[in-house]
Amino acid sequence: MKTDVLHAVRLARLDLTLVGRNTTVLFNVMLMPILIAAVYSTFPVGETAGVSGRVFVLTGVPGLMLAFAVFVNLVNAFTSRREELVLKRLRGGQPSAAAVMAGSGLSALVIFLGQVVLLGIWVHRFEGILPANVPLVVLAAVLGVAVFGLIAAAFSGMTPNAELAQVTVLPVLLVMMVAAPVAFPADALPGPLAVVAGLLPVTPIVEMMRTGFLGANHFTGGGEKLTMVEQWVGALPSIGIMLGWIVIGALLARWLFRWEPRHG
Amino acid sequence: MRTPQLADATGAVLDGLDNVIEVGGLRQKYGDFEAVRGISFTVPRGEIFALLGTNGAGKTTTMEVLEGYTPATDGTVRVLGLDPVKQHRELRPRVGIMLQEGGFLGDLTVAETVGLWKGLSEDAGRPVTLSGGTELAGGFTLMGRVRRVDRAIMGALELVGLEKKARVKVKQLSGGQKRRLDLALAVLSGPEVLFLDEPTTGMDPEARRTTWKVVENLRDAGTTVLLTTHYLEEAERLADRLAIMHEGRIHTHGTVDEVVATSGDMITFRLPGVSWTFGDLPTLDGVAPVLTYDGGGTEVGYTLAGTDTATRAHAALRPLLAWADTRGETLGRLAVRRGTLEDVFMRVVGEV
Ligand SMILES: Nc1ncnc2c1ncn2[C@@H]1O[C@H](COP(=O)(O)OP(=O)(O)O)[C@@H](O)[C@H]1O
Ligand SMILES: [Mg+2]
């Protein structure tokens, strides 16, 4: 166990080094999410759920940044490393399978948390808002990285090579962009769609992030102030949905993830 | 005959385990295609065992089962008395693997790659004990920070002759240099068992000799080595024992001498004229000759396969010379030569 943790940390540091050495990856993983946040924040006018539209978007946009910083990043990393037989070599070396996966997840978490911190500074600097519940924000990030890391592992299993990774990630990206309640509250979608959107893993993350930043009810309500206890109680269904997705993601990854390229 | 001692019920390895690698009736299928068709061999501690075979013989497949990548379709395999798949966690730190190809991160430098492997090994409680003659200092250059390269890393690079490439990106190495880096990684943590899949493919002759030396030194220090190769010379030079593998089966195995002995000794000579037939010539050691006619003469060849490998050539020459004396013939270009590994190999792969 201790060995696995040491290995995971070492491999995470390796991942971060390698992100810095590859311009394409650097752009996709580091700049793209910030760009998305910047672009989304220019859309809204007026007020949504008790805050300015821009604040509403900025506090929820981490749900979408996750798509690039974690999902696209890891599908690409897993697929290209499988193609280059790096995964095979690692599995034959000292680290266990769990440590290899955890290492990639950990590096993605560091990158994503870094971006959330940047966003926090941005929101504070220009909107004068300090995050109300940092642990809730961090928990949302951890759960988000876990779910999308596992789904990325599963999707990389369905991706024959690194070039096609750009294509296989599209369905997930599209669903996230459409369904995530970034620009408007989840219940603004028509009835059944709202229910579906609420069950997708991206919605609980957006809502936990937003509530964590603003200290107000963005789970079921329209932005009424909540006490710390009420924030956590309000987050429970979202946490439950995320835990459910972790199980689903783990099963999918187990079923679909491949350590080696297909033969011939 | 050695008696294998298996791990006891708790999976702990008993002292005095003789056969470090045991393969019994191994079969391996990919879908309907059977790549390995029931092979058995054992490798005692401190021995180099070579699987010699053409491409597609099933060598890599066999290695990967032993390395724990996939469970065997059928049959048993044990490495250090452990099941390579079920007891992978226990086995992993004690085994060094050189895969047939690839698996490097091209953006890392050579020293960083070794450093990564060294770190992973240390994390697992196996410190690297190699020590090089020098170390490279870290510092700042126009291109950014360069990291220090410590003596352990340099030691590994010196071992395989890559010390001058420490700061080169792995993607800029030649094929042979990558193989050498691969070897450095495989031996880094002082493994008890070393799996080398075509270790010298793509190397120049000098690098190949260096590699052989490294492997021999490890063997002399007690490491057990299983290697695959399609170079006869490599098997002949390195292997304490070898097996010739073809289409998923082992056809011959033993020490190089034992295997070569099965190929028989060759006696060849030339007779004038093209009117010779089998009936004219004697049988030697129970073998009839093979005749080929060319350029107005007859080439005669015998392959002696008698069981007394040390004396059969001598024993066959006596009646042959007596026959020549009686007939008043001179045996032109008379040659006696021992069979070679190549003869056996070619016979096994069906090209003779
Ligand atoms: N993953 C695989 N799926 C299907 N067939 C395979 C696979 N790996 C190897 N083979 C086939 O199995 C046979 C043995 O391959 P291999 O073990 O790589 O041989 P060698 O290492 O002796 O060249 C070959 O015919 C090869 O095409
Ligand atoms: Mg092979």
Side-chain angles (χ1 to χ4, degrees):
Chain A
M1 187 60 204
K2 177 166 164 263
T3 306
D4 280 348
V5 173
L6 292 173
H7 280 159
V9 171
R10 191 175 291 280
L11 291 171
R13 276 172 40 203
L14 169 75
D15 274 8
L16 294 174
T17 311
L18 291 172
V19 167
R21 287 190 191 176
N22 186 322
T23 343
T24 317
V25 175
L26 198 61
F27 178 80
N28 278 338
V29 174
M30 297 293 205
L31 288 182
M32 195 66 173
I34 300 294
L35 234 75
I36 291 204
V39 170
Y40 263 71
S41 72
T42 61
F43 293 161
V45 283
E47 291 220 338
T48 313
V51 287
S52 83
R54 198 166 51 244
V55 169
F56 187 82
V57 166
L58 283 177
T59 52
V61 84
L64 279 188
M65 292 158 65
L66 199 60
F68 289 89
V70 179
F71 180 67
V72 175
N73 170 13
L74 289 183
V75 172
N76 276 319
F78 286 141
T79 308
S80 63
R81 286 188 188 177
R82 180 181 59 229
E83 226 181 343
E84 287 155 16
L85 299 173
V86 173
L87 292 180
K88 179 174 184 176
R89 174 178 291 275
L90 282 174
R91 198 160 74 102
Q94 303 290 353
S96 68
V100 174
M101 302 299 270
S104 292
L106 199 58
S107 74
L109 180 65
V110 169
I111 292 172
F112 181 55
L113 277 178
Q115 289 167 343
V116 173
V117 168
L118 269 182
L119 197 75
I121 295 172
W122 180 353
V123 171
H124 174 63
R125 196 86 180 71
F126 297 107
E127 311 293 340
I129 291 169
L130 269 180
N133 188 344
V134 172
L136 187 59
V137 170
V138 172
L139 179 68
V142 171
L143 290 174
V145 170
V147 169
F148 281 96
L150 289 166
I151 294 179
F155 267 74
S156 100
M158 296 187 285
T159 309
N161 59 54
E163 274 144 53
L164 282 175
Q166 315 303 327
V167 180
T168 49
V169 296
L170 279 181
V172 173
L173 287 186
L174 260 142
V175 170
M176 287 178 79
M177 299 242 188
V178 172
V182 170
F184 46 80
D187 41 25
L189 284 168
L193 268 182
V195 177
V196 174
L199 289 175
L200 291 175
V202 63
T203 305
I205 297 167
V206 170
E207 293 180 348
M208 284 167 79
M209 285 279 177
R210 192 171 279 142
T211 300
F213 266 109
L214 300 173
N217 185 357
H218 291 282
F219 297 113
T220 52
E224 316 82 50
K225 281 286 164 214
L226 294 180
T227 65
M228 192 60 92
V229 175
E230 285 166 341
Q231 289 167 26
W232 283 105
V233 173
L236 285 179
S238 298
I239 296 173
I241 292 175
M242 291 308 282
L243 291 178
W245 273 101
I246 288 182
V247 174
I248 294 172
L251 291 175
L252 282 176
R254 217 191 158 82
W255 176 40
L256 293 170
F257 188 72
R258 306 176 61 85
W259 290 94
E260 289 178 42
R262 277 173 204 282
H263 189 73
Chain B
M1 193 61 209
R2 291 163 211 264
T3 36
Q5 286 176 288
L6 290 174
D8 68 16
T10 64
V13 182
L14 299 176
D15 269 354
L17 180 82
D18 272 337
N19 287 321
V20 168
I21 298 172
E22 292 182 293
V23 177
L26 171 65
R27 288 176 182 277
Q28 194 64 12
K29 279 192 175 174
Y30 296 112
D32 287 339
F33 176 70
E34 196 168 35
V36 176
R37 305 175 184 176
I39 63 168
S40 305
F41 61 90
T42 56
V43 187
R45 187 179 294 280
E47 186 175 285
I48 300 176
F49 190 95
L51 285 175
L52 178 64
T54 47
N55 287 333
K59 305 182 298 293
T60 298
T61 303
T62 305
M63 294 291 255
E64 289 187 354
V65 172
L66 284 163
E67 290 157 355
Y69 279 107
T70 37
T73 308
D74 195 16
T76 56
V77 293
R78 289 285 177 277
V79 176
L80 291 163
L82 301 170
D83 182 311
V85 173
K86 294 201 187 97
Q87 290 163 303
H88 194 59
R89 234 170 217 282
E90 283 159 75
L91 204 49
R92 201 185 318 113
R94 303 169 67 186
V95 171
I97 296 175
M98 184 169 170
L99 295 175
Q100 186 173 335
E101 57 169 342
F104 292 116
L105 293 155
D107 283 334
L108 289 184
T109 66
V110 169
E112 283 170 339
T113 304
V114 177
L116 170 66
W117 242 247
K118 170 176 167 266
L120 291 170
S121 185
E122 284 166 354
D123 292 345
R126 285 187 86 91
V128 174
T129 54
L130 296 166
S131 181
T134 55
E135 57 176 41
L136 303 181
F140 291 88
T141 68
L142 283 179
M143 303 301 292
R145 192 170 67 94
V146 290
R147 277 184 237 178
R148 193 175 76 93
V149 181
D150 66 28
R151 278 176 192 270
I153 295 174
M154 287 309 283
L157 294 180
E158 283 168 18
L159 191 69
V160 296
L162 280 181
E163 65 277 9
K164 293 207 177 68
K165 300 283 173 193
R167 296 241 158 94
V168 172
K169 289 258 165 77
V170 170
K171 63 183 168 203
Q172 284 154 0
L173 294 182
S174 72
Q177 287 167 339
K178 281 190 186 144
R179 290 315 273 157
R180 285 194 266 163
L181 176 57
D182 216 337
L183 179 68
L185 300 183
V187 306
L188 198 62
S189 57
E192 293 164 58
V193 190
L194 195 53
F195 293 107
L196 306 173
D197 199 352
E198 298 195 10
T200 65
T201 298
M203 285 188 187
D204 60 48
E206 193 196 336
R208 176 165 296 154
R209 262 188 294 279
T210 312
T211 303
W212 291 344
K213 201 76 218 136
V214 171
V215 175
E216 279 168 349
N217 289 345
L218 285 163
R219 184 260 322 266
D220 295 344
T223 307
T224 308
V225 184
L226 178 63
L227 70 90
T228 74
T229 183
H230 54 243
Y231 297 118
L232 296 156
E233 190 195 355
E234 182 160 288
E236 204 155 3
R237 153 79 195 259
L238 267 187
D240 296 307
R241 287 188 308 136
L242 62 90
I244 298 182
M245 208 172 164
H246 184 56
E247 292 178 346
R249 293 195 179 84
I250 285 180
H251 289 258
T252 338
H253 67 99
T255 63
V256 175
D257 278 342
E258 284 164 5
V259 169
V260 167
T262 64
S263 78
D265 299 328
M266 305 282 297
I267 296 179
T268 53
F269 53 87
R270 193 176 169 83
L271 294 171
V274 292
S275 58
W276 297 97
T277 63
F278 290 104
D280 303 324
L281 288 146
T283 55
L284 301 179
D285 198 14
V287 193
V290 175
L291 307 183
T292 38
Y293 307 98
D294 78 293
T298 307
E299 291 285 343
V300 185
Y302 291 88
T303 305
L304 307 175
T307 47
D308 198 341
T309 57
T311 59
R312 63 191 173 197
H314 179 94
L317 277 178
R318 208 186 295 273
L320 179 62
L321 293 173
W323 172 86
D325 282 345
T326 325
R327 302 284 295 244
E329 290 292 345
T330 303
L331 307 176
R333 301 185 203 160
L334 173 63
V336 181
R337 73 168 176 90
R338 296 200 53 200
T340 60
L341 193 53
E342 189 176 357
D343 296 332
V344 189
F345 187 73
M346 292 318 249
R347 205 180 60 229
V348 166
V349 305
E351 300 198 352
V352 174

